[in-house]
Amino acid sequence: MNIIVSKQWLLARLYETDLAIVDCRFYLNQPELGRLEYDEKRIPGAIHFDLDRDLSGIVGRHGGRHPLPNREDFASKLAAVGIHSQMRVVIYDNQSGAMASRMWFLMKLIGHEQVYILKESFNDWLDSNYPIEQTTPSIRIPTTYQVGASLVQIAAMNEIKSHLNNPEITLIDSREEKRFLGLEEPIDRIAGHIPGAIHYFWREGQDEGGNWKSSEAQAERFAKHLKDDAIIVYCGSGVTACPNVVALMMAGFTNVKLYPGSWSDWISYDDNPISTK
């Protein structure tokens, strides 16, 4: 699947009118910093989407720390900044693709065909001395957005619970290894992982510079699995699982689901089992 585009590809198309660029910089420990950085400098024409305000729904007792927003609500936000369903959309961040992958997944969830993630980070764009914009962002002309059938799959908590330790389903935990093993938990109230899950840290899909590895390298990461395996991916709150979903699709896997609520949703149910082995 064609998901990743290079900075050279974007540079060559930077001012084409059917192209929208989205800046998804966001820092969990400093929620306002991403927007401040965007206001200071950005790729020309880029629009900012915030993880908390735009890429997440309302937090409740269940659903995790970053529940998916309503599809129609998300589409309305796109329309409000001039993005319609026929546009090409390129998304970037400074978080090794974590936030960009989240937005990519949401756009696929509402049926958007031509949506891509920038291979490189915004800092890499700067280091290349590519053009940036530092003036006040332009006001976009609103449009309408026609929501389509979802192009990605999600798994509910009950589906996972009913298939615990099912050898026909691979459950992937995308968090750091120490969190997977329950050795530390800096964010959620309970440590551990869902029983039967295996560990693939999401950052292994990027190189040391935070740029996306090739489709061939992604296939090598997941080489022990068959391309038609049923795979469900989760993380802490459904955000950094998205880069692994992207990586699996780059590698040619087609039966891949995201568990949106992820670990923070799983532990919101007192009777759900927990493993540290």
Side-chain angles (χ1 to χ4, degrees):
M1 179 180 287
N2 184 20
I3 300 174
I4 307 300
V5 296
S6 69
K7 60 186 178 183
Q8 294 88 355
W9 185 97
L10 179 57
L11 180 66
R13 296 161 177 80
L14 196 56
Y15 299 105
E16 294 180 357
T17 57
D18 68 332
L19 179 74
I21 304 170
V22 180
D23 183 316
C24 284
R25 281 177 284 176
F26 182 89
Y27 304 87
L28 288 172
N29 58 342
Q30 295 178 277
E32 303 301 324
L33 181 58
R35 177 69 198 206
L36 291 173
E37 289 183 345
Y38 165 83
D39 288 340
E40 180 182 348
K41 63 184 69 170
R42 70 202 78 87
I43 294 178
I47 307 153
H48 189 259
F49 268 63
D50 179 274
L51 174 62
D52 286 343
R53 298 187 184 96
D54 304 312
L55 307 182
S56 301
I58 298 173
V59 177
R61 180 181 177 187
H62 302 299
R65 289 182 278 107
H66 293 105
L68 298 181
N70 175 275
R71 293 202 323 149
E72 296 290 344
D73 290 345
F74 179 63
S76 294
K77 291 187 176 184
L78 293 172
V81 293
I83 299 177
H84 58 74
S85 58
Q86 301 306 308
M87 294 185 80
R88 293 172 298 161
V89 178
V90 177
I91 313 166
Y92 70 89
D93 61 26
N94 243 355
Q95 288 71 43
S96 300
M99 306 304 159
S101 296
R102 168 69 168 214
M103 180 150 186
W104 178 89
F105 187 89
L106 289 176
M107 297 203 71
K108 288 297 182 183
L109 194 65
I110 61 172
H112 203 100
E113 293 278 358
Q114 299 186 82
V115 55
Y116 310 99
I117 299 170
L118 192 64
K119 177 182 178 180
E120 299 87 5
S121 67
F122 179 68
N123 282 344
D124 188 281
W125 181 276
L126 288 177
D127 291 343
S128 300
N129 292 315
Y130 282 8
I132 60 170
E133 183 178 71
Q134 293 180 282
T135 57
T136 301
S138 302
I139 298 175
R140 310 279 295 195
I141 299 174
T143 184
T144 57
Y145 194 102
Q146 185 67 42
V147 176
S150 177
L151 301 174
V152 287
Q153 303 179 74
I154 59 176
M157 186 279 294
N158 287 334
E159 177 182 353
I160 295 173
K161 192 171 183 178
S162 66
H163 290 289
L164 286 180
N165 298 306
N166 183 345
E168 296 183 357
I169 295 178
T170 300
L171 185 60
I172 289 178
D173 188 311
S174 305
R175 298 171 299 164
E176 298 92 335
E177 186 175 28
K178 287 184 177 180
R179 292 181 69 191
F180 170 74
L181 295 173
L183 300 177
E184 64 178 38
E185 183 46 70
I187 302 174
D188 293 306
R189 63 183 180 84
I190 298 175
H193 61 263
I194 300 174
I198 60 176
H199 181 249
Y200 282 96
F201 185 33
W202 70 273
R203 283 188 180 273
E204 293 170 356
Q206 292 77 34
D207 62 23
E208 292 182 358
N211 301 325
W212 286 85
K213 294 179 180 178
S214 67
S215 295
E216 293 75 18
Q218 306 294 0
E220 186 175 343
R221 285 180 68 207
F222 303 109
K224 71 178 183 180
H225 306 287
L226 299 176
K227 294 296 177 66
D228 60 352
D229 280 356
I231 297 175
I232 299 174
V233 188
Y234 77 94
C235 59
S237 66
V239 177
T240 56
C242 292
N244 265 345
V245 172
V246 169
L248 284 159
M249 290 185 171
M250 289 175 66
F253 290 82
T254 56
N255 191 5
V256 181
K257 296 182 180 181
L258 172 72
Y259 174 21
S262 288
W263 181 248
S264 54
D265 175 61
W266 184 261
I267 62 173
S268 71
Y269 297 89
D270 293 338
D271 59 342
N272 278 351
I274 293 169
S275 178
T276 54
K277 298 180 180 179

